Amino acid sequence: MSDTHAQSAAFVRESFIPQSPPPARERGILKWGRENLFSNWFYTLLTLVSLYVVFSLLSGFLPWLFSGVWNAGSLSECREILQGVDAGCFAVLTERWNQLLFGFSYPTEAYWRPTLAFILLFVCAAPVLFSGLPRKLLILTLLYPFAAYWLLWGGTIVVPLMALLGVVLGYVAFGATVSRGFATALVAALVVAGIVWWVGIAVAGAVPDFVALMPVPSRDMGGFMLNMMLGTVCVSLSLPFGILLALGRQSRLPIIKIACVAFIEFIRGVPLITLLFVANVVLAYFLPPGTNFDLILRVIIMITMFASAYIAEVIRGGLAALPRGQYEAADALGLDYGQAMRLIILPQALKISIPGIVNVAVGLFKDTTLVSIISMFDVVGMIRGPILASTDWNGVYWELYGAAALLFFVVCYTISQYSQWLERKLATDHR
Amino acid sequence: MTMTDTPQAAPKTVDRSAMKVSDEVAISIENMNKWYGAFHVLRDIDLTVYKGERIVVCGPSGSGKSTLIRCINALEEHQKGRIEVDGTVLSSDLKNIDRIRSEVGMVFQHFNLFPHLTILENCTLAPIWVRKTPKREAEQDAMQFLEKVKIPDQANKYPGQLSGGQQQRVAIARSLCMRPKIMLFDEPTSALDPEMIKEVLDTMIELAEEGMTMICVTHEMGFARQVANRVIFMDQGQIVEQNEPEEFFNHPKSDRTKLFLSQILGH
């Protein structure tokens, strides 16, 4: 140790320095502001310009928003009350709120039905969205479509009950015959369900007033309710169809593969609005004359087909991102195709696909406003048609479209936040 | 890594008393050929594996050794010849293939654990779904095997939280949970840090000591010397030489084997 310096080698600390806070300019908001807003003269200039722009936007918008009129019978009344002050005429929202939500011909005394269906949607979707809830609650999710149908369309309860019975008995038939092969079981299930439904139609026709709600025809559905209906139904249907299409596209059987590829590529190559026109007009030519194929059902089929093609491609990306080894490990353990997909491949592929699926879901939900073009009165259709065309409210653009935008934003932002929460919850790879 | 699951540093001495080769055939491969497109990757492979054998397959990369063992559980399809595993002839019938796969355990170079499932779920998945074992029983079983590979305390973690060596030991436990009759190892230590190779090899040695039939593709020549009863050298899709380890390493017959051995043992 002869080559160490005497003064650097031996040292014993006698008193310990207590912890002290950093200097004021290195703390909290001051530090943040200095680093992010005023770190040099150019950033300082940009900050000041931005502050000015934000200020001038808000100084115009906030008075318009807060001094707006909420109670008036028409736009001219609004103007009288405002007396030249530039402010919003939100009275249109108060007066036409029910029309914006339910359309203009849904019976007023039945407004509680869609409202109840909307509240139940959250209750019954929760077991699917939050895996922490007891699994038995999934039975609510299964019952929901039938209950919601009955609430929205009304009529005798026999219709949704027989539909449910058909599904349950079809499932039982599937379980009883599945040992003879998947295809046989599927045919058996469809035959059983078909018979029950056929009987159900006959029975419902015989007793149309048995525990019946006032029937509401599809053409009376409208407003934001229509957007929510189309969005919920089409998203929840297009996910399973998208998964099937994505798996089909990977199939080794050429017929299935070609069919799936052709479907996906065709649908993706056609604008949604064209498909909606087909649903509205052209489809009638192909159906036997006299058949009354519900317009909402036709639109649901078209939007679902459109969304499934996109979701299939998103999921294909997720499947392709999985290492080959995951398939091999599942195979090597002796899992069959269905088990390997259900237990190993799809949980991981879907997790990877969440951002893409949510992207399609949000886009699809907003695309439901396109039905206003085929003369269905969704929230945009209501604004464009009955409300703006009325003599009372002709010219109230900002308030109406702003409210529609806000409704859509709330739903889409919720979906987006949920998906981010789900991604965090499912992150188990610790990369 | 905790202290308890670090294997002892001293080299494990191999107890060969329970390693007995029986007369019963576990795997028989006759005149097997495989092509990747026009590339003839396996050529006229004839190999009979008896119950209780520990076979090490070595050879340069691209010699077809991995492909050979992947053909045994039909991860790869062979185009010509006959493979019989545990009395079942491998055909293109899916049920047949699934049955063979549930009897043959496989350990991969890159572990291939399921990252979305915990260690315990990784181990119980196949027993529950393929063997229809009740969940509780499968979990008790799995804990036994996790103790055997010395990581029972990690049972509720996810694979991503474990070191490479631990992951590979879980992969071995996962295969053992299916109570396989034959274990295939496809370069189980090639993706591991040098420090972790030993803990995996020790687990494999214990398995051999219990009389498991094993085929290992590996470059661990020490393991081959200690554990194997037969070493197979492959090159260009063919079995070039096979012999007992002593003879194989000390008196290789073919020039290709001599060259290979001089290159991997040379430094």
Side-chain angles (χ1 to χ4, degrees):
Chain A
M1 293 303 241
S2 57
D3 53 352
T4 44
H5 296 285
Q7 66 271 32
S8 66
F11 170 74
V12 177
R13 175 168 295 285
E14 279 159 357
S15 66
F16 285 86
I17 304 165
Q19 188 170 315
S20 57
R25 47 179 276 129
E26 290 297 331
R27 265 185 292 171
I29 192 150
L30 279 179
K31 174 181 155 77
W32 182 87
R34 189 169 49 79
E35 280 179 358
N36 294 294
L37 301 178
F38 305 104
S39 56
N40 60 34
W41 70 265
F42 183 65
Y43 279 19
T44 310
L45 183 69
L46 280 184
T47 303
L48 293 176
V49 170
S50 314
L51 279 177
Y52 175 73
V53 170
V54 170
F55 172 78
S56 27
L57 283 177
L58 287 183
S59 63
F61 176 69
L62 290 180
W64 179 82
L65 184 66
F66 287 115
S67 53
V69 177
W70 290 88
N71 276 310
S74 67
L75 183 58
S76 43
E77 262 184 56
C78 263
R79 290 197 175 127
E80 269 173 41
I81 296 170
L82 287 171
Q83 294 180 336
V85 179
D86 191 15
C89 179
F90 301 109
V92 63
L93 300 180
T94 357
E95 205 212 48
R96 299 293 178 109
W97 183 243
N98 283 331
Q99 286 195 356
L100 284 174
L101 287 190
F102 305 110
F104 64 96
S105 36
Y106 203 91
T108 319
E109 63 275 20
Y111 279 162
W112 64 271
R113 281 156 46 181
T115 314
L116 181 62
F118 181 69
I119 295 166
L120 285 179
L121 172 66
F122 292 97
V123 177
C124 298
V128 176
L129 299 178
F130 303 101
S131 58
L133 293 170
R135 293 296 81 198
K136 280 182 183 159
L137 288 179
L138 279 172
I139 204 137
L140 289 179
T141 318
L142 173 71
L143 294 179
Y144 181 75
F146 305 99
Y149 171 82
W150 190 51
L151 283 173
L152 291 169
W153 273 270
T156 168
I157 200 169
V158 173
V159 173
L161 278 185
M162 289 304 274
L164 177 64
L165 191 67
V167 171
V168 171
L169 289 183
Y171 181 75
V172 171
F174 184 86
T177 49
V178 75
S179 55
R180 295 191 200 164
F182 179 78
T184 325
L186 192 66
V187 171
L190 288 177
V191 167
V192 169
I195 291 172
V196 175
W197 288 333
W198 182 70
V199 172
I201 291 171
V203 173
V207 283
D209 296 323
F210 179 73
V211 196
L213 291 170
M214 179 179 37
V216 180
S218 288
R219 63 172 182 277
D220 288 351
M221 308 272 167
F224 196 63
M225 174 183 76
L226 185 61
N227 296 105
M228 284 298 293
M229 273 161 57
L230 292 174
T232 319
V233 174
C234 295
V235 168
S236 32
L237 286 181
S238 60
L239 194 59
F241 281 119
I243 292 173
L244 289 181
L245 281 171
L247 293 179
R249 197 173 179 155
Q250 285 197 327
S251 172
R252 283 189 200 170
L253 303 173
I255 295 178
I256 294 181
K257 184 176 175 142
I258 291 171
C260 290
V261 171
F263 179 86
I264 291 171
E265 296 302 336
F266 172 73
I267 295 287
R268 287 203 310 161
V270 178
L272 177 58
I273 196 72
T274 317
L275 289 177
L276 289 177
F277 278 126
V278 169
N280 189 25
V281 187
V282 187
L283 219 53
Y285 293 115
F286 293 103
L287 295 167
T291 36
N292 185 17
F293 200 42
D294 192 274
L295 179 60
I296 290 190
L297 187 59
R298 280 183 269 166
V299 166
I300 284 177
I301 291 174
M302 285 303 175
I303 300 183
T304 303
M305 277 174 25
F306 189 76
S308 344
Y310 279 86
I311 286 187
E313 285 299 278
V314 170
I315 292 174
R316 186 167 72 100
L319 289 170
L322 281 194
R324 182 96 213 104
Q326 292 291 313
Y327 293 85
E328 288 178 352
D331 283 348
L333 285 169
L335 298 172
D336 62 32
Y337 176 80
Q339 292 169 336
M341 287 299 144
R342 190 156 48 89
L343 301 167
I344 308 298
I345 305 303
L346 283 177
Q348 297 185 62
L350 289 178
K351 191 185 93 187
I352 302 173
S353 316
I354 288 173
I357 292 173
V358 169
N359 208 13
V360 174
V362 165
L364 164 77
F365 180 59
K366 292 183 295 182
D367 280 354
T368 57
T369 53
L370 286 176
V371 298
S372 64
I373 305 210
I374 54 166
S375 59
M376 288 171 86
F377 292 99
D378 75 313
V379 66
V380 172
M382 282 305 296
I383 294 173
R384 270 177 7 123
I387 300 182
L388 279 181
S390 67
T391 43
D392 287 348
W393 300 111
N394 194 350
V396 196
Y397 293 100
W398 286 98
E399 294 83 347
L400 284 168
Y401 284 115
L406 193 65
L407 281 176
F408 278 97
F409 176 78
V410 168
V411 176
C412 295
Y413 187 70
T414 312
I415 297 176
S416 151
Q417 287 300 306
Y418 168 75
S419 83
Q420 286 178 27
W421 172 83
L422 189 64
E423 272 181 73
R424 281 196 301 275
K425 192 176 84 91
L426 295 179
T428 58
D429 47 359
H430 307 278
R431 267 184 281 202
Chain B
M1 205 192 302
T2 57
M3 285 302 290
T4 49
D5 61 18
T6 313
Q8 295 122 16
K12 196 170 161 60
T13 47
V14 179
D15 170 19
R16 301 185 73 109
S17 61
M19 299 188 191
K20 288 199 183 70
V21 178
S22 85
D23 294 338
E24 281 179 79
V25 176
I27 302 169
S28 93
I29 301 175
E30 287 164 28
N31 195 28
M32 193 250 284
N33 281 272
K34 175 172 175 62
W35 289 264
Y36 282 132
F39 177 54
H40 199 169
V41 57
L42 290 175
R43 307 176 197 178
D44 291 348
I45 304 285
D46 281 297
L47 177 66
T48 306
V49 180
Y50 294 93
K51 284 192 177 150
E53 277 206 282
R54 289 89 48 207
I55 293 178
V56 163
V57 184
C58 61
S61 58
S63 58
K65 48 195 193 309
S66 283
T67 312
L68 169 62
I69 69 164
R70 289 159 60 87
C71 282
I72 294 173
N73 67 354
L75 284 184
E76 304 276 356
E77 223 175 336
H78 61 285
Q79 277 90 33
K80 211 178 126 199
R82 184 171 178 279
I83 300 180
E84 190 179 325
V85 182
D86 193 43
T88 312
V89 180
L90 199 58
S91 62
S92 56
D93 178 27
L94 285 177
K95 282 200 179 132
N96 201 341
I97 290 177
D98 283 339
R99 202 168 97 220
I100 286 178
R101 282 172 176 167
S102 64
E103 302 297 338
V104 178
M106 177 128 187
V107 175
F108 299 88
Q109 180 177 359
H110 295 289
F111 333 134
N112 295 353
L113 295 178
F114 306 129
H116 63 302
L117 301 177
T118 63
I119 300 305
L120 190 62
E121 288 166 342
N122 263 279
C123 293
T124 56
L125 184 95
I128 288 175
W129 291 95
V130 180
R131 292 254 190 270
K132 314 290 179 202
T133 315
K135 194 175 176 218
R136 272 192 90 88
E137 202 179 306
E139 283 179 352
Q140 284 167 359
D141 246 30
M143 284 311 293
Q144 266 180 27
F145 283 111
L146 286 175
E147 258 159 54
K148 191 183 163 96
V149 300
K150 302 188 182 66
I151 31 182
D153 44 337
Q154 317 276 18
N156 292 315
K157 289 192 182 170
Y158 285 96
Q161 294 165 291
L162 269 57
S163 74
Q166 289 174 321
Q167 289 193 45
Q168 193 60 297
R169 284 184 284 151
V170 171
I172 295 173
R174 178 175 73 177
S175 291
L176 293 178
C177 284
M178 286 293 281
R179 313 240 175 216
K181 296 182 173 142
I182 300 156
M183 284 287 284
L184 306 174
F185 292 86
D186 188 1
E187 307 205 24
T189 56
S190 299
L192 295 176
D193 290 346
E195 281 184 301
M196 296 171 180
I197 291 177
K198 195 181 162 302
E199 61 188 61
V200 170
L201 288 181
D202 283 353
T203 309
M204 291 168 65
I205 290 171
E206 270 172 42
L207 211 54
E209 285 172 345
E210 287 165 15
M212 175 65 80
T213 311
M214 301 163 67
I215 304 181
C216 313
V217 172
T218 182
H219 299 295
E220 297 297 329
M221 290 303 135
F223 174 80
R225 262 181 210 274
Q226 278 187 299
V227 177
N229 69 315
R230 193 153 39 131
V231 180
I232 291 176
F233 174 67
M234 287 183 71
D235 190 27
Q236 294 174 30
Q238 298 153 71
I239 295 179
V240 176
E241 187 165 347
Q242 54 173 315
N243 213 332
E244 291 171 5
E246 281 308 306
E247 276 294 298
F248 179 85
F249 288 112
N250 298 338
H251 309 290
K253 304 285 187 298
S254 101
D255 290 340
R256 185 65 191 89
T257 316
K258 284 176 196 163
L259 178 67
F260 177 75
L261 287 176
S262 74
Q263 271 165 353
I264 62 165
L265 302 173
H267 52 84

